[in-house]
Amino acid sequence: MGQSQARAGRGRPKPDARQATREEERQQRRGDIARPDAGAEEEELRRPAHGPAMDTFFLSHGSPTLSIDEAIPARHFFKSWLPARVAGDRPPRAILVVSGHWETATPAVNVIRGTNDTIHDFYGFPKHMYQLKYPAPGAPDLALRTKELLEQAGFGPVKEDHSRGLDHGAWVPLMLMYPDADIPVCQLSVQTDRDGAYHYNLGRALAPLREEGVLVLGSGSATHNLRKMGPMDAPVPQWAAEFDTWLKDALLSGRYDDVNRYEEKAPHAKVAHPWPDHFYPLHVALGAAGDSVKAEQIHQSWTNATVSYACYRFSTNK
């Protein structure tokens, strides 16, 4: 986001054999990578986790400078994630991130056995940002479970990507939310030639993951128009405020069909989102919450006039 532009990139070099062996041993103890006897572990991931089902979330990740800039108000919200127990008292078993920075023609998951590479898919930022790493373990079992659920629901074929790491839509918020990078993470792509209803229904297919200890995060932006950005502390223009307010009102009042049809229902929809890549993660997270969903806004702030950092929790009404 911000002035960033997505581009293909490669992560850091692979660790040497000794490092890889130590990493694999550590992850095998956690059950995060496959072993010859991994069938039982895969089944364990599918069993309902102890305690209530996890909520799902939509995060506005804003600019990549969220990773370093203490002046961005949302940075303090993301850093409070663990202390405030925003996602609950128990840590997730694994995290599935649907990022606006991964677009494919059909759904794809990254199946990483070992440590995720950190993709620096932006340019023109301070040099030390390109040295930042978020070495979270991959979650291959979750990736394959995601593929299974989507294909069972008619969203196949789902491609397996065995080399792609975490883009900044995933690692920038996660490095603040879960700074130890010890929870397995995988990503799911969006399809920008489809619509909001498609992504909502895709999310519904993933609802069982909530019962399996998986935290589903949609990472995008409530507003995303790079050409309309202004100075850091510039006032919010009317079109951005009206779209952001419409989104909040629609979600909190349960008008989810309107959200799915936002291009025709929302004011200034094409200005707020000239391209839908950063909005579709919201639809996936909303659908993944399951039936009888209640939406709650858990953060709101602005930077650069038009960049909304609105974040939402989706929970099942009890």
Side-chain angles (χ1 to χ4, degrees):
M1 172 91 189
Q3 298 171 347
S4 65
Q5 299 291 333
R7 61 171 173 80
R10 296 186 180 273
R12 59 168 182 259
K14 300 295 182 183
D16 62 33
R18 183 179 303 175
Q19 290 174 322
T21 299
R22 288 199 298 267
E23 176 67 16
E24 289 175 2
E25 289 174 352
R26 182 179 70 83
Q27 292 183 50
Q28 285 173 355
R29 288 196 296 271
R30 290 178 52 88
D32 297 332
I33 67 173
R35 298 190 307 219
D37 60 346
E41 293 180 2
E42 293 179 4
E43 286 301 317
E44 181 180 354
L45 179 62
R46 301 178 190 188
R47 294 194 205 117
H50 296 294
M54 302 204 74
D55 296 336
T56 67
F57 296 86
F58 173 69
L59 310 175
S60 290
H61 63 251
S63 169
T65 55
L66 177 69
S67 60
I68 62 169
D69 191 350
E70 294 289 346
I72 297 176
R75 177 178 169 87
H76 306 287
F77 162 71
F78 286 116
K79 290 179 72 173
S80 75
W81 187 273
L82 270 182
R85 300 180 179 179
V86 176
D89 293 334
R90 58 193 175 92
R93 187 174 303 185
I95 300 172
L96 175 65
V97 180
V98 183
S99 168
H101 290 279
W102 191 15
E103 306 172 30
T104 56
T106 60
V109 290
N110 66 332
V111 185
I112 302 301
R113 304 185 186 279
T115 302
N116 278 299
D117 288 335
T118 303
I119 304 173
H120 299 91
D121 51 340
F122 45 80
Y123 65 86
F125 289 88
K127 290 184 178 180
H128 63 280
M129 286 180 58
Y130 299 90
Q131 306 303 316
L132 296 174
K133 304 293 182 183
Y134 188 74
D141 293 343
L142 172 57
L144 296 178
R145 173 66 167 147
T146 299
K147 174 180 178 176
E148 176 186 54
L149 289 171
L150 292 179
E151 291 186 338
Q152 287 176 349
F155 287 94
V158 176
K159 179 183 177 182
E160 297 179 21
D161 191 318
H162 293 267
S163 61
R164 190 183 193 278
L166 303 179
D167 61 54
H168 81 266
W171 66 262
V172 167
L174 286 178
M175 72 180 296
L176 304 175
M177 297 160 63
Y178 297 100
D180 290 341
D182 58 353
I183 298 176
V185 182
C186 72
Q187 286 195 227
L188 170 66
S189 64
V190 296
Q191 289 71 66
T192 51
D193 60 343
R194 307 304 291 264
D195 60 12
Y198 165 92
H199 286 86
Y200 173 80
N201 289 322
L202 184 148
R204 285 184 62 84
L206 301 177
L209 295 177
R210 298 169 48 249
E211 304 282 350
E212 299 169 8
V214 174
L215 177 61
V216 178
L217 300 176
S219 181
S221 289
T223 56
H224 190 249
N225 189 330
L226 305 184
R227 295 181 181 272
K228 297 289 187 180
M229 291 174 61
M232 180 71 173
D233 57 352
V236 178
Q238 182 176 353
W239 65 262
E242 289 182 356
F243 180 88
D244 198 65
T245 298
W246 174 88
L247 177 60
K248 178 181 177 180
D249 291 346
L251 287 172
L252 270 58
S253 62
R255 302 196 324 268
Y256 304 141
D257 187 59
D258 285 358
V259 176
N260 289 341
R261 300 164 59 196
Y262 76 97
E263 289 182 308
E264 59 185 272
K265 294 290 186 178
H268 317 291
K270 274 296 186 180
V271 183
H273 290 280
W275 196 245
D277 52 335
H278 275 58
F279 205 46
Y280 286 163
L282 181 146
H283 296 94
V284 178
L286 177 59
D291 298 322
S292 302
V293 177
K294 177 183 178 182
E296 173 192 0
Q297 188 178 73
I298 55 175
H299 179 74
Q300 173 59 67
S301 62
W302 295 84
T303 65
N304 302 96
T306 65
V307 180
S308 170
Y309 281 87
C311 298
Y312 293 90
R313 178 205 314 270
F314 305 118
S315 56
T316 301
N317 283 324
K318 304 299 188 294

